[in-house]
Amino acid sequence: MLRILHDTNFDFIKHWKTAAIGTVAFIALGLVLLVVHAARHNGNALNQSIEFTGGTVVQLQFQQDAPTDVVRSAVDAAGFSGSEVTTFGDVRNYLIKVPPVEGMAAAANADSVGAHIVNVLKQRVPGNPARVEQAQSVGPRVGAELKTKAITAILLSFLVTLIYLAIRFEWRFGVAATIATAHDILTTMAFLAMMRLEISLTVVAAILTVIGYSLNDTIIIFDRVRENLKKQRKETLREVLNRSINETLPRSVLTHATVFAATLSLLVFAGEVIRPFSWIMAFGVFTGTFSSIYVAGAILLYIEHRWPRTPAPHEKGTARALAEERRRERPAPVGTR
């Protein structure tokens, strides 16, 4: 049987500062890009789909290549200024997002908006007719309700995670895992800003999946930490964390590689509709692995030092590891070196 990364002894915790600097720089770059996007897109920092903003989406297909500026000017001439016009795969397919129009029923609005834009395009580019492939509308009220539910779902996932880990392990482990998960959310939002991906309900589903995926990896490492602490080797907590990450490394590499291969296939072959979901899942595999190895363990070590516990009988392993760590950190008496 092929054994990958067996009996490794990497010092992952040693590089926590480098990991923290890289993470902060990545998130800061994402925040800067959000400010830039807000300035360029009428205050819309995130590229939200009509499921959240409300409005109409019209997908057009031309017989030949159509210049983007001609399509945009036709949409403005049709009376839908402020709409977002983007190509969809190639320059024959366009996606037009029209802001909500008050006083019109959603279904009627979608059909009439598409037909009106096509009529204007017939006059602007008579030799290259366009056809409405798809038109759909969502009311502003429904969009706001969906946005509230999506945010609530993400916050509830944090709360349930904290409660579960506090029961399954101990509150220090729960806080460390929750901070690592928050790291995944922030880096994913930064990635969304960098890629300017559209945030739809599908993308929210991908984010929730990434949260579960990352937590699963963190819980497996923490479970191994707990088992190793019970063995009461003469090791510091830092060494126990490194040992636990190394022992679970083969399983992590194989799991992440297979999931990444599946998401990569979706990214390449599944088409434009599922592409934002595939991007988030592919990035989530990376950031979830990173946070499980470099963030969760370092945060747990900090919490254990900052708020040392009064050891209960079943926590003697942790107390012993922390005592060993403090003993090694004390300077040696003069004359003993």
Side-chain angles (χ1 to χ4, degrees):
M1 179 180 175
L2 179 64
R3 307 185 76 177
I4 299 174
L5 297 174
H6 184 66
D7 288 336
T8 57
N9 189 27
F10 300 120
D11 189 352
F12 294 103
I13 303 298
K14 175 184 177 183
H15 302 289
W16 73 269
K17 286 184 179 177
T18 305
I21 291 172
T23 297
V24 170
F26 188 83
I27 294 173
L29 179 59
L31 290 174
V32 170
L33 287 174
L34 285 177
V35 173
V36 172
H37 292 322
R40 295 180 59 184
H41 299 280
N42 302 321
N44 296 318
L46 295 173
N47 183 17
Q48 302 177 65
S49 73
I50 63 164
E51 292 163 336
F52 298 131
T53 61
T56 304
V57 168
V58 179
Q59 184 183 342
L60 297 180
Q61 186 179 47
F62 291 84
Q63 285 189 352
Q64 304 169 18
D65 293 352
T68 304
D69 54 342
V70 173
V71 178
R72 185 172 287 115
S73 65
V75 172
D76 291 340
F80 304 116
S81 58
S83 300
E84 187 175 336
V85 179
T86 55
T87 55
F88 189 72
D90 54 39
V91 287
R92 293 186 181 187
N93 295 280
Y94 279 86
L95 205 63
I96 302 168
K97 295 182 184 177
V98 181
V101 180
E102 295 183 0
M104 299 180 67
N109 191 31
D111 294 335
S112 61
V113 168
H116 192 41
I117 292 174
V118 167
N119 287 333
V120 175
L121 283 167
K122 283 180 181 175
Q123 301 169 9
R124 296 292 180 98
V125 281
N128 188 12
R131 183 180 63 196
V132 177
E133 289 289 308
Q134 185 181 4
Q136 58 179 341
S137 292
V138 176
R141 188 173 177 180
V142 176
E145 187 178 336
L146 287 173
K147 185 189 294 183
T148 303
K149 286 183 177 179
I151 294 172
T152 304
I154 292 175
L155 292 178
L156 273 178
S157 70
F158 275 98
L159 181 62
V160 172
T161 297
L162 192 58
I163 293 173
Y164 169 75
L165 289 175
I167 296 172
R168 180 76 172 82
F169 294 97
E170 197 260 344
W171 71 266
R172 292 170 177 82
F173 285 80
V175 171
T178 303
I179 292 175
T181 307
H183 159 276
D184 298 336
I185 298 292
L186 291 174
T187 53
T188 302
M189 296 305 290
F191 181 72
L192 279 169
M194 292 175 188
M195 298 290 291
R196 192 62 183 166
L197 296 173
E198 184 182 70
I199 301 177
S200 62
L201 288 176
T202 307
V203 167
V204 173
I207 293 173
L208 289 173
T209 306
V210 167
I211 289 174
Y213 182 82
S214 173
L215 270 174
N216 178 58
D217 209 32
T218 303
I219 287 172
I220 288 172
I221 292 175
F222 279 179
D223 212 29
R224 187 59 63 91
V225 170
R226 192 174 58 170
E227 290 175 6
N228 284 328
L229 285 172
K230 287 179 181 176
K231 294 177 181 175
Q232 304 211 25
R233 297 186 181 94
K234 196 172 183 180
E235 293 177 333
T236 65
L237 183 57
R238 178 189 296 260
E239 290 169 343
V240 172
L241 284 166
N242 273 323
R243 173 188 287 275
S244 303
I245 296 171
N246 278 287
E247 287 177 352
T248 56
L249 196 60
R251 171 228 164 254
S252 299
V253 169
L254 289 173
T255 304
H256 301 324
T258 51
V259 174
F260 185 75
T263 55
L264 202 60
S265 300
L266 285 173
L267 193 60
V268 175
F269 300 110
E272 292 290 336
V273 175
I274 204 71
R275 190 152 291 162
F277 175 87
S278 308
W279 271 118
I280 297 302
M281 285 299 299
F283 180 77
V285 171
F286 168 76
T287 192
T289 307
F290 179 87
S291 67
S292 299
I293 293 176
Y294 288 105
V295 178
I299 294 292
L300 178 63
L301 193 62
Y302 171 78
I303 292 174
E304 292 284 2
H305 277 277
R306 184 70 178 79
W307 293 280
R309 64 182 74 194
T310 302
H314 65 282
E315 294 175 334
K316 286 183 178 178
T318 308
R320 191 214 51 73
L322 284 169
E324 179 66 19
E325 190 147 327
R326 284 193 287 271
R327 186 186 70 79
R328 294 191 191 184
E329 288 174 352
R330 281 198 297 269
V334 177
T336 59
R337 295 181 178 178

